Amino acid sequence: MDCSEEKVTLAGELFARWDQGRGVSKSQLEIETWSDATSHGRHFDRFVNSHLGVSTSKPSKQTDRIADLERQVKGLGASPVGYIEKPWEVQVRHARESCLAAIRIWNDPTSRFRTASFSLLFVAAWNGIAISLLQRAGEEWTKVDGNRQPILRKRVEQALGTSELINRALPGAGTSQSALRANVDFWIDLRNCVAHRYLPEVDLPVIPQAQAGLLNIESVLSNFFGPEYAIAESLSVPLQLPVFGTRAYSPQERRSRPDCPLMSSQY
């Protein structure tokens, strides 16, 4: 029997003596086995867990309470004091902030740049989500040169385009994944109309796409990062009137903007 097998056997014997309720405490076993009277059960916990894969420690109520409070703070879009965020956590927080800012603008009754602003912020949110997923998985999310080194601009790593980031972070040929990517591409097209050309007021036609995109973001945040990152609890139901303001576009206007995905449609 080699050394590792001996330790596994010893761990099994110690666990059995402690687990059978014979009144043998962890501290007693530590003194008998290692002459350790200072560990107060921690030596036993580590030894059994490392060799048997069995947890014999129970988190204290205070530990559970601290974990709950940290989740609540993250749910409010902040970082707990003293907590060092990982790079992917920073990206998720930024993505949530961008998404909530987009929703605030959408629900603002006085907004005259609603769809345009929403598209810019909504794409930024998806960009952050995709980068965070790739960072957490240890996969590439930056543009690289011929030597596979990140391309820098003003000493900052340059990210891949949002569409490519989404394809890498959320691959798959399933209906839901394909629909999610199609929705993101829709908003990227509108964002490009704003950033490079012009986007008129097209609020009503894009409501289904906005609603579907928001549900997609909520699903990804909850399923991939945990319920504390969901945004549902930050939202309220906007008040509405039975009649919405909109504007019809002439055929000449639609033909004049073939590069805009909505101006080239029936709207």
Side-chain angles (χ1 to χ4, degrees):
M1 181 180 295
D2 61 25
C3 181
S4 60
E5 291 177 340
E6 290 178 355
K7 290 181 178 180
V8 170
T9 300
L10 175 60
E13 292 173 353
L14 293 174
F15 178 75
R17 290 182 62 190
W18 171 79
D19 191 48
Q20 289 175 0
R22 296 177 180 174
V24 182
S25 67
K26 296 178 184 179
S27 296
Q28 285 179 275
L29 293 172
E30 289 171 340
I31 294 171
E32 293 177 12
T33 308
W34 302 291
S35 300
D36 184 356
T38 63
S39 186
H40 305 294
R42 292 189 297 274
H43 192 161
F44 174 90
D45 291 333
R46 290 193 300 269
F47 187 79
V48 172
N49 190 42
S50 62
H51 295 291
L52 298 183
V54 178
S55 176
T56 56
S57 61
K58 182 179 180 181
S60 66
K61 291 183 178 180
Q62 183 179 15
T63 301
D64 291 339
R65 182 60 176 164
I66 291 173
D68 288 339
L69 290 173
E70 286 187 345
R71 283 191 290 269
Q72 291 176 32
V73 171
K74 291 179 181 179
L76 295 172
S79 179
V81 175
Y83 179 81
I84 301 176
E85 288 184 303
K86 301 178 181 66
W88 68 264
E89 291 177 306
V90 174
Q91 288 293 330
V92 176
R93 181 162 53 81
H94 290 175
R96 292 179 78 253
E97 291 171 357
S98 184
C99 184
L100 290 171
I103 295 169
R104 281 194 294 272
I105 289 174
W106 185 276
N107 290 337
D108 181 358
T110 66
S111 176
R112 302 302 299 172
F113 204 59
R114 180 177 289 108
T115 303
S117 300
F118 183 89
S119 65
L120 290 168
L121 290 165
F122 204 58
V123 171
W126 274 118
N127 194 72
I129 288 173
I131 290 176
S132 64
L133 287 170
L134 294 172
Q135 284 181 329
R136 191 175 64 172
E139 298 180 13
E140 188 58 69
W141 59 273
T142 63
K143 296 178 181 178
V144 296
D145 59 23
N147 296 320
R148 305 302 299 171
Q149 295 300 311
I151 297 175
L152 304 181
R153 184 175 182 181
K154 295 183 178 179
R155 295 184 291 183
V156 177
E157 295 175 328
Q158 298 299 292
L160 297 167
T162 303
S163 184
E164 186 172 354
L165 288 170
I166 291 293
N167 290 336
R168 290 190 180 193
L170 297 169
T175 301
S176 61
Q177 295 292 78
S178 297
L180 183 151
R181 292 194 295 271
N183 182 270
V184 174
D185 286 340
F186 174 89
W187 289 107
I188 291 174
D189 287 342
L190 287 189
R191 187 276 312 270
N192 291 342
C193 287
V194 178
H196 304 298
R197 302 174 189 88
Y198 167 73
L199 180 65
E201 295 177 29
V202 285
D203 299 342
L204 282 183
V206 302
I207 287 177
Q209 294 283 357
Q211 186 63 66
L214 180 57
L215 292 174
N216 287 338
I217 279 188
E218 180 75 341
S219 176
V220 170
L221 288 174
S222 299
N223 294 335
F224 285 89
F225 301 108
E228 64 268 30
Y229 290 100
I231 60 177
E233 292 187 3
S234 300
L235 305 181
S236 59
V237 179
L239 299 178
Q240 299 175 346
L241 293 173
V243 178
F244 296 92
T246 187
R247 135 167 210 234
Y249 298 98
S250 68
Q252 291 79 8
E253 286 179 302
R254 291 198 294 270
R255 285 194 296 270
S256 69
R257 306 304 305 172
D259 52 323
C260 178
L262 284 176
M263 291 301 284
S264 59
S265 70
Q266 61 177 322
Y267 300 105

